[in-house]
Amino acid sequence: MYIYDEIDQRIIDERVTQFRDQTRRFLAGELSEDDFRPLRLQNGLYVQRHAPMLRVAIPYGHLRSQQLRKLADIARRYDRGYAHFSTRQNIQFNWPELAKVPDILAELATVQMHAIQTSGNCVRNFTSDHFAGVAQDEVIDPRPYAEIMRQWFTFHPEFAYLPRKFKMALNGATHDRAAVFVHDIGINLIHNEQGEIGAQVIVGGGLGRTPIIGSIIKPFLPWQHLLSYCDAILRVYNRYGRRDNKYKARIKILVKALGPEVFAQMVEDEWQYTKDGPSTLTQAEFDRVAAHFQPPAYQAFASDDADYQQHLQSDPAFARWASRNVHGHKQAGYAAVTLSLKRLGTAPGDVTDAQMEAAADLADDYSFGELRVSHEQNLILADVPQHALYALWQRARALNLATPNIGMLTNMIACPGGDFCALANAKSIPIAEAIAERFEDLDYLFDVGELDLNISGCMNSCGHHHVGHIGILGVDKNGSEWYQISLGGHQGYDKHGTPAAIGKVIGPSFAQDEVAGVIEKIVGVYLDQRQDEERFIDTVKRVGIDPFKERVYAKAH
């Protein structure tokens, strides 16, 4: 993974010094709240319901074990012994003391981490495929491109004060694990007919108050022009995006208002000023960055390890875990493993300091000292030898990191909701806990099969509820917390060819204590209606939402 050079390190060290002085002046009354707000936001610091919240960047979800141990240490010394992995592959601390935040940033800088541009109206953390570099369906490794773009847009002076926040995602596989169609800019790395590498550029996607599937405005962009073309997109947005109404300020609103074709032409016209200019990527620059993403020192193994196969046959619990949490790998004899952070009784994405330290140990012992954070709020060990999977499973199970539920209903994505977030209309965590308890029976869960359930506490959609097969949105109704249910959302192309889709709301919202029962009824309709091995999302597409509405509202009202 990318290692800072002297210039990178000096930049973040100096940023820590700057923010330490800004915080000192604010606490001394020398800066007003209005003065301090943009300064703290540019350093990832929010004022939340109970305390400041610090969001730390994990570029495209990559972590070294040393970095995860530092995060564990910060959770223990500066927070309440735990942290929360977000859907943007970041990590959040919910209880830091404002005066101590500069100390936290200084600690992060010692392991090449920071909180820069994790909030504010700027280009946020880049997200990507958590299986990048190892996925069997990968066409092009997106990591060097993501790192080049991260470096370009961090501290980019022209884009520090955009009309609104700006999110970008890159994917290089046939399965869209980065949800590129619901980002401000989504990039699919592809080959053209000549075998040349380029990008399919998607613009104007997003969730939130106005969910929109993005539009392809450039079917094939040679990779050398990634920076100049994205510059042109941001320049058009910066110039014409609305600043009078924050609810209409995202680029998706501009693209929708102009129409994708008109927007694409405006970008094309703008691009002519910079195309082939100094920002054109060279092979030498690509090679410099790509050198940080070379494969680790794999050993030569057989494709199917005999011991692994024997354990699959002899231990049903291990086989069940392997069927959900172990994933194929490019390298023969290796696998990628998901450490689940969705154990019953734990908020989705929450992890304790002890678990982080233990996961770092697992990374050192089994996966070349590296981990990934998925946007589904789990941890990934990307390079585990098959012969070590049984031993890894036993240790992960003892750490409560081996819940065999990846891709299933209890692998819920959820924002922190009203328990922490000042923007939330309703709590997410109690809803997730109630649903997890209702579907605790693993046999039933495996019978239900593949099903994505996403929960957001408000219209900002941090839990990506619009693209959940089942989406749950917390809403305010006369000062009370209610929950709206949607069906049929999908984050992007998968191995079955299912494209990105926004879910449809099934009807009036439900009280908190009704939600788990409603989900059970929806799953019941699916089990009644499904054909053969049909997945939940495919049944919804085939029969529509009416059968679900009839079952849910017939008994609820």
Side-chain angles (χ1 to χ4, degrees), residues 165-395:
K165 57 188 173 183
F166 202 89
K167 301 178 180 180
M168 299 173 72
L170 294 92
N171 182 54
T174 56
H175 185 165
D176 178 10
R177 285 178 286 268
V180 295
F181 277 88
V182 290
H183 279 76
D184 296 301
I185 295 179
I187 292 173
N188 268 324
L189 295 169
I190 55 176
H191 290 111
N192 63 10
E193 292 181 351
Q194 290 72 43
E196 298 164 327
I197 294 175
Q200 178 192 63
V201 182
I202 302 146
V203 171
L207 301 175
R209 190 175 297 270
T210 309
I212 296 176
I213 300 298
S215 300
I216 298 171
I217 66 165
K218 194 75 171 176
F220 184 84
L221 174 75
W223 66 270
Q224 294 89 344
H225 299 297
L226 266 173
L227 299 182
S228 61
Y229 191 79
C230 289
D231 259 3
I233 294 171
L234 278 154
R235 283 184 170 184
V236 171
Y237 170 52
N238 212 9
R239 191 179 310 151
Y240 298 104
R242 290 183 61 170
R243 296 177 186 270
D244 60 323
N245 184 339
K246 72 175 185 178
Y247 300 118
K248 297 184 182 297
R250 296 290 293 268
I251 193 173
K252 61 188 176 184
I253 302 299
L254 178 64
V255 174
K256 182 180 180 183
L258 294 171
E261 296 80 9
V262 172
F263 183 85
Q265 186 57 54
M266 294 172 72
V267 171
E268 202 72 21
D269 293 344
E270 179 65 33
W271 187 36
Q272 300 312 308
Y273 293 106
T274 56
K275 184 182 179 184
D276 299 320
S279 60
T280 304
L281 283 169
T282 64
Q283 188 66 51
E285 172 61 4
F286 176 82
D287 291 344
R288 181 187 73 83
V289 176
H292 292 278
F293 300 98
Q294 296 305 303
Y298 293 127
Q299 297 182 53
F301 294 129
S303 296
D304 294 312
D305 181 79
D307 287 343
Y308 173 50
Q309 297 299 323
Q310 188 274 325
H311 285 302
L312 289 176
Q313 297 298 320
S314 62
D315 192 329
F318 173 65
R320 175 172 275 180
W321 174 78
S323 72
R324 302 308 316 183
N325 297 42
V326 175
H327 317 280
H329 200 286
K330 283 182 177 179
Q331 182 69 21
Y334 282 82
V337 171
T338 300
L339 301 176
S340 173
L341 302 182
K342 309 295 174 60
R343 183 175 66 94
L344 179 63
T346 303
D350 275 12
V351 60
T352 68
D353 57 335
Q355 285 179 314
M356 284 191 275
E357 288 188 333
D361 291 342
L362 295 179
D364 283 341
D365 293 344
Y366 299 110
S367 193
F368 300 97
E370 291 190 7
L371 305 100
R372 317 281 180 85
V373 181
S374 72
H375 87 278
E376 295 174 343
Q377 302 173 290
N378 292 308
L379 289 173
I380 311 295
L381 300 177
D383 297 291
V384 181
Q386 286 185 7
H387 68 75
L389 286 170
Y390 193 69
L392 168 62
W393 168 67
Q394 291 175 311
R395 288 177 61 179

Side-chain angles (χ1 to χ4, degrees), residues 41-62:
L41 288 175
Q42 289 175 1
N43 289 280
L45 188 63
Y46 286 78
V47 174
Q48 291 288 42
R49 190 175 298 272
H50 306 295
M53 181 276 281
L54 180 65
R55 180 180 295 150
V56 178
I58 303 176
Y60 36 92
H62 278 231

Side-chain angles (χ1 to χ4, degrees), residues 13-147:
D13 288 342
E14 290 179 356
R15 187 59 175 258
V16 171
T17 301
Q18 291 168 359
F19 189 65
R20 188 181 295 283
D21 186 58
Q22 291 159 357
T23 304
R24 180 195 63 74
R25 286 188 287 153
F26 172 69
L27 293 174
E30 298 171 16
L31 292 178
S32 69
E33 175 56 47
D34 286 344
D35 292 332
F36 187 58
R37 184 181 301 110
L39 302 175
R40 64 173 170 76
L41 288 175
Q42 289 175 1
N43 289 280
L45 188 63
Y46 286 78
V47 174
Q48 291 288 42
R49 190 175 298 272
H50 306 295
M53 181 276 281
L54 180 65
R55 180 180 295 150
V56 178
I58 303 176
Y60 36 92
H62 278 231
L63 275 174
R64 295 194 299 275
S65 58
Q66 176 199 27
Q67 293 173 321
L68 188 57
R69 289 194 182 90
K70 176 60 71 177
L71 294 172
D73 181 55
I74 290 171
R76 183 167 50 249
R77 292 169 55 204
Y78 296 97
D79 208 278
R80 296 188 177 181
Y82 73 98
H84 174 79
F85 286 111
S86 77
T87 52
R88 290 206 62 72
Q89 298 175 307
N90 291 317
I91 191 167
Q92 298 178 175
F93 296 101
N94 285 309
W95 301 97
E97 181 184 345
L98 175 58
K100 299 289 182 63
V101 170
D103 294 336
I104 298 174
L105 297 179
E107 296 267 7
L108 291 169
T110 65
V111 292
Q112 304 189 338
M113 297 188 77
H114 60 76
I116 297 163
Q117 291 187 200
T118 57
S119 59
N121 294 333
C122 55
V123 178
R124 301 285 186 92
N125 186 39
F126 281 73
T127 55
S128 190
D129 181 2
H130 46 271
F131 295 140
V134 304
Q136 290 180 327
D137 69 333
E138 186 168 87
V139 179
I140 299 162
D141 186 347
R143 295 174 297 173
Y145 302 93
E147 176 58 30

Side-chain angles (χ1 to χ4, degrees), residues 87 342 348 376-377 405 407-415 428 431-436 439 445 448-456 463-473 484-487 489 515-516 518-520 522-523 536:
T87 52
K342 309 295 174 60
E376 295 174 343
Q377 302 173 290
N405 62 352
M408 299 197 295
L409 188 149
T410 57
N411 183 40
M412 286 174 276
I413 292 175
C415 68
S428 299
I431 297 298
E433 290 175 343
I435 294 170
F439 290 89
L445 200 61
V448 173
E450 186 179 325
L451 200 166
D452 295 339
L453 192 153
N454 297 9
I455 309 171
S456 299
H464 297 180
H465 67 279
H466 292 298
V467 292
H469 300 166
I470 299 175
I472 300 176
L473 168 65
Q484 189 179 76
I485 309 292
S486 57
L487 296 178
V515 175
V518 170
I519 301 305
E520 190 172 37
I522 289 171
V523 171
F536 177 88

